[in-house]
Amino acid sequence: MKNMKPFISMLFRWQPSRETLAALAAGLCVIGLSAAMLPFKSIPWASIAVRDMGQIFLVGILFPLTCIQRTGGNWAGFGLHFKKWRIFLSVNLFLGALLLLLFLSESPPPTGFSLNYTRIWTALYVMLALCFELVFFYAFLRTRLEQAFGMVPAIMLTALFYAFHHIGFQPEYGKLIFVGLLYAAVYRAGNSALLIFPFFLGVGGLYDVLIQSQVVSPVLHPAVRTMILAAAFLATGIWLWRKTDAH
């Protein structure tokens, strides 16, 4: 039984902390900001500001990365590293190819589908939104929840937070809970973002938004939104790099 204790402790534990509460509060904030989009459906730019600046950038990117940096910058502990990158990227590419084949067989693109100007910018916007999902849900929130409650509750709770953060633009909770479980489990298998991004996560997100989903809200003004988010992400990356380099 003594040999089982470390294994059980890895799966389930009870060690919540202030960091746990901060992560949970951020998760609830992400869901709340998504719900806040609903009253602004008739005011597109207000909804866009809530989604892009509030949910994706401020809470989804800036907050978790700042928290990691301020608590020692243990990026590898959150799966944000390049260890075994050849192996992990190969697995990532293989899983992405399998997922694409599954999508093509079950819900092929409609006749005449092509990548026009709007769809290309939409695809770029979706990839930036997927960076937010990668950093916030699978790297930051899942890791904090695992530190507090163990691997199994962390994966399950992450999937729930992931699913319900779509409340304002894609309310397909059953499907999204499964998707969240899948990506969180694969991420945790090697504790590496390179196991799901860019191929595995990219195929799932792009195919869903561009082709498969029947309820996802259209991405309005994708070119402008992509450029603004890209600039915000780049500025955050430079700021964190300078902060880390200064220490």
Side-chain angles (χ1 to χ4, degrees), residues 3-19:
N3 293 333
M4 290 293 294
K5 285 184 178 180
F7 177 72
I8 294 173
S9 178
M10 180 180 70
L11 299 180
F12 302 95
R13 66 171 67 101
W14 182 258
Q15 297 175 349
S17 63
R18 288 195 302 177
E19 287 77 13

Side-chain angles (χ1 to χ4, degrees), residues 34 42 45 97 100 103 106 108 129 168 188 195-196:
S34 185
S42 60
W45 280 109
L100 179 60
F103 284 154
E106 292 190 348
R188 179 59 182 84
L195 276 171
I196 64 172

Side-chain angles (χ1 to χ4, degrees), residues 104-143:
L104 290 173
S105 64
E106 292 190 348
S107 54
T111 304
F113 177 85
S114 63
L115 286 176
N116 55 30
Y117 172 87
T118 300
R119 288 196 179 110
I120 289 173
W121 278 109
T122 299
L124 292 173
Y125 173 82
V126 169
M127 289 303 294
L128 290 178
L130 292 176
C131 289
F132 142 65
E133 293 181 2
L134 177 79
V135 169
F136 185 79
F137 293 104
Y138 304 120
F140 176 70
L141 183 63
R142 184 204 54 79
T143 301

Side-chain angles (χ1 to χ4, degrees), residues 13-246:
R13 66 171 67 101
W14 182 258
Q15 297 175 349
S17 63
R18 288 195 302 177
E19 287 77 13
T20 311
L21 292 176
L24 288 171
L28 292 173
C29 187
V30 162
I31 294 174
L33 287 168
S34 185
M37 294 171 62
L38 296 173
F40 295 114
K41 283 194 171 182
S42 60
I43 313 173
W45 280 109
S47 178
I48 288 170
V50 171
R51 164 73 167 157
D52 292 2
M53 289 296 99
Q55 187 192 59
I56 291 179
F57 177 60
L58 292 177
V59 183
I61 291 290
L62 187 61
F63 175 75
L65 293 182
T66 301
C67 284
I68 296 171
Q69 195 274 333
R70 286 183 175 177
T71 54
N74 180 24
W75 303 102
F78 290 82
L80 302 173
H81 59 81
F82 292 99
K83 298 175 182 178
K84 301 181 182 178
W85 66 269
R86 292 183 180 86
I87 296 173
F88 290 157
L89 274 180
S90 297
V91 173
N92 185 350
L93 180 60
F94 176 71
L95 293 174
L98 285 182
L99 187 60
L100 179 60
L101 290 174
L102 177 65
F103 284 154
L104 290 173
S105 64
E106 292 190 348
S107 54
T111 304
F113 177 85
S114 63
L115 286 176
N116 55 30
Y117 172 87
T118 300
R119 288 196 179 110
I120 289 173
W121 278 109
T122 299
L124 292 173
Y125 173 82
V126 169
M127 289 303 294
L128 290 178
L130 292 176
C131 289
F132 142 65
E133 293 181 2
L134 177 79
V135 169
F136 185 79
F137 293 104
Y138 304 120
F140 176 70
L141 183 63
R142 184 204 54 79
T143 301
R144 287 298 192 212
L145 293 175
E146 181 171 340
Q147 291 169 349
F149 308 121
M151 187 194 331
V152 174
I155 290 174
M156 296 175 66
L157 288 170
T158 297
L160 290 173
F161 275 101
Y162 166 78
F164 285 100
H165 102 275
H166 289 80
I167 190 171
F169 53 93
Q170 190 183 358
E172 298 177 291
Y173 306 121
K175 180 182 81 172
L176 292 170
I177 288 172
F178 172 77
V179 170
L181 288 170
L182 177 64
Y183 285 130
V186 173
Y187 190 109
R188 179 59 182 84
N191 194 34
S192 174
L194 296 180
L195 276 171
I196 64 172
F197 192 86
F199 308 115
F200 191 28
L201 189 60
V203 167
L206 289 173
Y207 206 94
D208 204 33
V209 173
L210 296 178
I211 298 171
Q212 183 172 259
S213 179
Q214 300 299 312
V215 302
V216 64
S217 300
V219 179
L220 303 176
H221 313 293
V224 175
R225 296 171 71 180
T226 298
M227 288 186 283
I228 291 173
L229 275 180
F233 284 15
L234 179 61
T236 301
I238 293 172
W239 176 70
L240 286 172
W241 175 74
R242 293 183 66 179
K243 290 275 288 184
T244 302
D245 191 55

